[in-house]
Amino acid sequence: MKRILFVDDEPSLLEGLRRMLRPQRARWDVMFANGGEAALRMLEAHPCDVVVTDMRMPGMDGAQLLEQVRDRFPGVVRIVLSGYCEMESTLRAVPVAHQFLQKPCDSASLLQSI
């Protein structure tokens, strides 16, 4: 069973993902972290196969998180799921993300990417 960690600073978005992914629970063990620091703590305790993160978060942004994930957990697939498409931020994500998905993202596209 694949373990996927979703990271965002908006609890309502994480709850929406939880509801959307409920049918996948037989295939995936899905976890949710509110921000980058919480995500790193979760990864230490529960190794994951995939991390899907928002780009714009307070404290540690998505690119910073994925850089640490790449360095500390190199086997983890790294995906950005963000509505924030500022060029500088997007360019920072390029070397650390395997894929970049735009919010809003329909469930079929998200499932296919994972």
Side-chain angles (χ1 to χ4, degrees):
M1 182 176 290
K2 298 284 184 204
R3 181 174 286 156
I4 294 111
L5 174 61
F6 288 88
V7 186
D8 203 296
D9 64 318
E10 294 182 34
S12 61
L13 186 116
L14 292 174
E15 185 56 38
L17 286 168
R18 183 185 312 273
R19 283 191 306 272
M20 180 180 79
L21 296 169
R22 195 166 284 135
Q24 304 303 318
R25 64 182 165 228
R27 296 177 37 203
W28 297 344
D29 179 13
V30 182
M31 301 183 335
F32 301 91
N34 191 339
E37 293 294 336
L40 291 173
R41 286 191 302 272
M42 291 179 85
L43 284 166
E44 287 288 341
H46 308 283
C48 291
D49 300 293
V50 180
V51 171
V52 181
T53 186
D54 187 23
M55 204 48 202
R56 191 176 216 181
M57 298 182 291
M60 179 185 302
D61 70 15
Q64 292 168 321
L65 170 62
L66 293 183
E67 183 177 3
Q68 288 200 37
V69 171
R70 178 196 63 195
D71 295 345
R72 295 168 60 183
F73 311 97
V76 173
V77 173
R78 301 172 304 274
I79 300 173
V80 172
L81 174 61
S82 185
Y84 184 62
C85 286
E86 197 269 329
M87 182 60 78
E88 177 186 338
S89 147
T90 302
L91 290 175
R92 287 180 43 242
V94 168
V96 294
H98 292 108
Q99 193 159 8
F100 194 106
L101 301 172
Q102 184 72 30
K103 282 181 190 173
C105 179
D106 64 274
S107 60
S109 296
L110 179 61
L111 296 175
Q112 182 179 13
S113 293
I114 293 172

